[in-house]
Amino acid sequence: PNAPKRATTAFFAFGAEMRPKLKEENPSLSVTEVAKELGVRWKALSEEEKQPYNEIAAKDKIRADAERADYTKPDSDSDDSDAGAGSKRK
């Protein structure tokens, strides 16, 4: 749970920006329909139009790589969590 988050992709950066606008334009769209429409719109963009999102993704990759380099996975032997709690059936 404390592991670093993965870097976002250019498409996810695009989706985060466009999803609210799309929902505002079409409030009746389901989650699936929104995702499909975002894919259609992403595909229609030129490489030049995708560039800002690629830059966001590149910056986030640097962040994620730095966090991953600094992260040390906890030893499973010293884990005091309740990972096995509740696993027994009565």
Side-chain angles (χ1 to χ4, degrees), residues 7 12 15 19 26 35 37 44 49 55 59 64 68 71 74 80:
F12 272 61
R19 186 173 287 107
N26 305 293
E37 181 61 26
E49 292 170 315
E55 290 172 7
K59 286 178 186 174
R68 200 173 308 113
Y71 178 71
D80 292 332

Side-chain angles (χ1 to χ4, degrees), residues 4 61-71:
K61 183 174 180 351
I62 292 169
R63 177 214 44 91
D65 289 346
E67 286 182 8
R68 200 173 308 113
D70 293 341
Y71 178 71

Side-chain angles (χ1 to χ4, degrees), residues 12-13 16 18-20 30 34 43-44 52 59 63 72 74 79 85 90:
F12 272 61
M18 295 301 296
R19 186 173 287 107
S30 69
V34 168
K43 240 181 168 174
K59 286 178 186 174
R63 177 214 44 91
T72 13
D79 187 12
K90 291 184 178 181

Side-chain angles (χ1 to χ4, degrees), residues 5-73:
K5 301 286 184 208
R6 290 184 180 182
T8 192
T9 64
F11 174 72
F12 272 61
F14 169 77
E17 181 180 309
M18 295 301 296
R19 186 173 287 107
K21 295 175 187 175
L22 185 58
K23 283 297 284 181
E24 188 176 308
E25 292 169 10
N26 305 293
S28 65
L29 289 181
S30 69
V31 173
T32 305
E33 292 167 329
V34 168
K36 286 180 184 178
E37 181 61 26
L38 286 172
V40 168
R41 292 184 184 197
W42 176 254
K43 240 181 168 174
L45 293 180
S46 68
E47 285 303 315
E48 187 176 290
E49 292 170 315
K50 290 180 181 180
Q51 189 56 36
Y53 305 108
N54 288 328
E55 290 172 7
I56 291 169
K59 286 178 186 174
D60 199 49
K61 183 174 180 351
I62 292 169
R63 177 214 44 91
D65 289 346
E67 286 182 8
R68 200 173 308 113
D70 293 341
Y71 178 71
T72 13
K73 193 173 182 178

